[in-house]
Amino acid sequence: MNQVDDNDILVRVRDLHFQRGTRPIFSGANIDIQRGKITAIMGPSGTGKTTLLKLIGGQLKPTQGAIEFEGENIHQLSRSKLYKLRRKMGMLFQSGALLTDISVFDNVAYPIREHTNLPESLVHHLVLMKLQAVGLRGARHLMPNELSGGMARRVALARGIALDPTMIMYDEPFTGQDPISMGVLVQLIKLINDALGLTSVVVSHDVQETVSIADYIYLVSGGVVIEHGTPEQLNASTSEWVQQFMQGLADGPAHFHYPAETYLDDLQAGVK
Amino acid sequence: MVNPVQMLGRSALTFFERLGRAHLFLMDALWGFFSMVMRPRLLVQQLYSVGVLSFLIILISGLFVGMVLGLQGHYILSNFGAEETLGVLVAASLVRELGPVVAALLFSGRAGSALTAEIGLMKATEQLSGMEMMAVDPMRRIITPRLFAGILSMPLLAAIFSMMGILGGYFVGVGLLGVDEGAYWSQMQSKIDFSADIINGVIKSFVFGVVVTWIAVFEGYDSIPTSEGVSRATTRTVVHSAFAILGLDFVLTALMFG
Ligand SMILES: Nc1ncnc2c1ncn2[C@@H]1O[C@H](COP(=O)(O)OP(=O)(O)O)[C@@H](O)[C@H]1O
Ligand SMILES: [Mg+2]
């Protein structure tokens, strides 16, 4: 990256190392997330995509390396500064993570009520606007357990943008969706990014959907960034691995198996 | 093969590590008191679900325990012709021991298990993580109000338990078995000491309240976020609370009356 680009970069991940127990999840990943763009982070499941989002959100601490948000190292902030910073980030969990004991309306109102002293009439207007944006204004009286998976994610999206964050992170937004709600979500992510001038990070292994809206793509595997570039650049890549992933082939340089002893050794070892 | 010494060492380390985490957790939750003062509504909501909803079980159990005390006490005392002291016996047993202990055991079963399950499920469904990412600190928003609600409720519930027990003893002793009403109350008044009996009982129930609620919220927060993990944590809350209550009761009794 040259100097001119530097101000355009919202999140800068440098030499990221992280491990669970003794198992390394990241070993030296470098990622730049550009302002105003949709950056996709793709990789096989179990590579640590969710972990990466939690690291960026400051919920996990890297063992080495740094993650900067607007030039501030997230993991050196005090607890109260970290909580302040998180107001600039929205995150959509795979499950939606809605609060189950309050209605859709109250879920979207939750961050607004927690962080502002706006009068209830204004909160009402704001919530309806956000719900309108995701097409669920009519569902505001429902409880989270009355929503389908796709609806729950859209409510979570409305809640994620309730405080007009700078950046929003989506964890596997397309997984387990029927084609229609998948299409809806794809459009919504693009629309919201452009209309609100957000920066979006989409973590996914659904290649086609993600590629269709991403401005820039990182392919992650084995704890490092294997390849990055615009969708066109990646499609034109000559790397076997990149082609395997972009075309969704089961076999190739990337492995389907979780790391293990050889199959034969395992079977011969008998029951321990 | 892992040898037994290694296993012992490992479980000791795990135990002390967890104990350490539990203490840091308690400090953090107590520290949240200052931000909770700004939002008393959070505490009031929890006082309702932790305290008020435990009211009925405490009321009914207290009544029955007092009635049994009345029966058993009368049976023994009448051997010595000392039925008039029934009020003292009932009140002293309740205020010193049964009130704090039985109320705390009931409380851990009724409210403690519910707290663990609620917090554990919030963790398992990523609601706590979700809050963190909404810049809402779950320690402040969820844990602190529940902890203080438990600490405040326990002494009151124990006092209500004792009061109901004394009434139960009265119904059985005076109502059914014909103990003199004046003797029942006046003996109680003259023999039950405010500081030795009542204050000590309140101190006990306060300690039990801290410990039981602490165990409950910590087990929930520290649970493995799966259905099995939450179910185990809930069981642990009830079992560990029972051990803690009975063990501490012995220690406190030895210190107070020994
Ligand atoms: N709480 C946890 N404890 C231990 N290991 C975990 C935990 N969460 C995830 N992992 C491990 O970390 C790896 C990365 O997980 P994750 O970030 O969820 O992958 P992805 O989102 O890319 O599918 C997985 O192989 C998983 O086994
Ligand atoms: Mg994931």
Side-chain angles (χ1 to χ4, degrees):
Chain A
M1 288 285 159
N2 56 41
Q3 275 315 110
V4 188
D5 279 342
D6 259 20
N7 280 330
D8 278 351
I9 293 170
L10 183 65
V11 179
R12 194 188 303 271
V13 178
R14 283 293 170 269
D15 188 33
L16 179 69
H17 285 70
F18 181 76
Q19 51 190 46
R20 291 270 192 196
T22 54
R23 201 167 101 76
I25 309 285
F26 287 105
S27 33
N30 295 301
I31 293 172
D32 287 329
I33 291 170
Q34 281 195 54
R35 268 180 210 278
K37 298 283 168 63
I38 299 179
T39 303
I41 295 172
M42 296 200 283
S45 41
T47 36
K49 300 183 299 297
T50 302
T51 309
L52 177 66
L53 294 189
K54 290 195 167 169
L55 283 159
I56 295 177
Q59 296 189 298
L60 295 173
K61 247 190 161 67
T63 41
Q64 193 187 317
I67 300 179
E68 289 175 6
F69 184 93
E70 294 184 323
E72 279 191 291
N73 187 334
I74 291 172
H75 301 279
Q76 285 174 356
L77 295 176
S78 68
R79 177 154 147 182
S80 62
K81 287 228 175 83
L82 177 62
Y83 271 97
K84 275 227 174 73
L85 184 93
R86 282 187 184 146
R87 293 189 202 181
K88 298 186 196 166
M89 303 178 181
M91 174 148 164
L92 249 78
F93 287 82
Q94 230 166 318
S95 60
L98 297 176
L99 302 175
T100 47
D101 56 345
I102 54 179
S103 69
V104 164
F105 182 95
D106 289 329
N107 260 288
V108 180
Y110 189 85
I112 307 176
R113 289 179 179 146
E114 286 289 321
H115 292 305
T116 68
N117 284 319
L118 296 178
E120 202 50 31
S121 59
L122 204 51
V123 173
H124 185 81
H125 277 64
L126 279 173
V127 173
L128 291 194
M129 273 166 57
K130 304 296 173 185
L131 281 173
Q132 173 75 11
V134 299
L136 289 177
R137 192 166 40 86
R140 63 178 179 275
H141 299 301
L142 297 182
M143 294 301 282
N145 62 3
E146 298 169 319
L147 303 174
S148 72
M151 286 161 85
R153 275 182 218 182
R154 277 147 72 193
V155 174
L157 178 52
R159 185 178 71 173
I161 57 172
L163 286 175
D164 298 319
T166 313
M167 176 175 84
I168 185 153
M169 301 187 276
Y170 301 87
D171 191 4
E172 309 274 7
F174 312 122
T175 319
Q177 300 296 308
D178 64 78
I180 295 179
S181 41
M182 181 109 99
V184 169
L185 278 166
V186 171
Q187 290 309 313
L188 209 51
I189 292 174
K190 178 86 182 138
L191 188 77
I192 282 179
N193 188 75
D194 297 348
L196 301 181
L198 284 174
T199 302
S200 309
V201 180
V202 180
V203 152
S204 180
H205 53 229
D206 294 288
V207 179
Q208 284 186 353
E209 289 71 24
T210 315
V211 169
S212 72
I213 51 169
D215 295 305
Y216 204 82
I217 300 173
Y218 282 87
L219 290 185
V220 183
S221 183
V224 290
V225 173
I226 298 230
E227 191 66 84
H228 58 105
T230 61
E232 297 75 35
Q233 284 168 342
L234 288 193
N235 275 324
S237 165
T238 52
S239 149
E240 239 184 293
W241 195 94
V242 175
Q243 285 307 323
Q244 184 203 344
F245 190 80
M246 297 296 280
Q247 292 171 22
L249 307 175
D251 216 10
H255 300 299
F256 155 73
H257 289 286
Y258 193 91
E261 304 161 49
T262 68
Y263 198 21
L264 190 63
D265 284 350
D266 233 0
L267 289 175
Q268 281 177 343
V271 183
K272 270 174 235 168
Chain B
M1 276 298 284
V2 187
N3 74 46
V5 179
Q6 274 179 330
M7 258 165 63
L8 187 71
R10 168 154 335 142
S11 46
L13 279 180
T14 325
F15 173 78
F16 283 110
E17 202 231 304
R18 195 152 191 266
L19 197 65
R21 224 160 352 129
H23 278 86
L24 292 176
F25 173 88
L26 179 67
M27 290 304 127
D28 196 359
L30 291 174
W31 186 245
F33 176 78
F34 298 101
S35 50
M36 191 181 65
V37 175
M38 305 293 183
R39 300 183 60 185
R41 215 169 57 91
L42 290 180
L43 178 64
V44 173
Q45 278 169 358
Q46 291 310 316
L47 279 173
Y48 177 77
S49 66
V50 171
V52 177
L53 293 183
S54 308
F55 200 66
L56 196 64
I57 184 175
I58 293 286
L59 228 55
I60 294 172
S61 311
L63 189 68
F64 279 117
V65 167
M67 285 163 66
V68 171
L69 274 177
L71 275 177
Q72 297 278 22
H74 184 268
Y75 174 73
I76 305 247
L77 290 175
S78 61
N79 284 336
F80 310 102
E83 295 95 328
E84 305 79 49
T85 57
L86 182 67
V88 184
L89 178 108
V90 169
S93 340
L94 280 165
V95 172
R96 284 182 171 197
E97 289 296 338
L98 293 174
V101 171
V102 179
L105 289 172
L106 292 169
F107 181 76
S108 82
R110 166 65 186 75
S113 59
L115 282 176
T116 306
E118 184 192 17
I119 296 168
L121 281 173
M122 289 181 98
K123 184 177 179 187
T125 53
E126 295 191 304
Q127 294 183 56
L128 296 183
S129 275
M131 271 187 192
E132 276 182 20
M133 288 310 298
M134 284 189 281
V136 175
D137 188 346
M139 276 310 276
R140 303 280 172 273
R141 185 67 172 68
I142 302 292
I143 304 297
T144 302
R146 283 167 176 72
L147 182 66
F148 278 96
I151 295 176
L152 291 175
S153 302
M154 191 67 260
L156 292 174
L157 289 172
I160 291 164
F161 185 96
S162 297
M163 186 196 77
M164 288 306 291
I166 290 169
L167 281 180
Y170 169 82
F171 292 144
V172 170
V174 178
L176 292 178
L177 303 174
V179 175
D180 180 60
E181 179 171 1
Y184 186 86
W185 295 118
S186 65
Q187 291 271 357
M188 192 189 301
Q189 267 183 359
S190 63
K191 292 281 162 33
I192 297 292
D193 185 66
F194 183 72
S195 72
D197 295 313
I198 295 181
I199 294 290
N200 278 339
V202 172
I203 291 174
K204 273 186 182 180
S205 60
F206 173 77
V207 172
F208 297 159
V210 174
V211 172
V212 170
T213 326
W214 175 23
I215 290 176
V217 289
F218 178 71
E219 286 291 353
Y221 199 76
D222 203 53
S223 62
I224 298 167
T226 59
S227 29
E228 200 206 354
V230 175
S231 112
R232 281 206 204 167
T234 310
T235 309
R236 271 203 306 272
T237 290
V238 177
V239 174
H240 291 186
S241 294
F243 284 149
I245 292 164
L246 298 171
L248 278 171
D249 184 49
F250 175 74
V251 175
L252 289 172
T253 307
L255 287 175
M256 288 166 176
F257 305 101

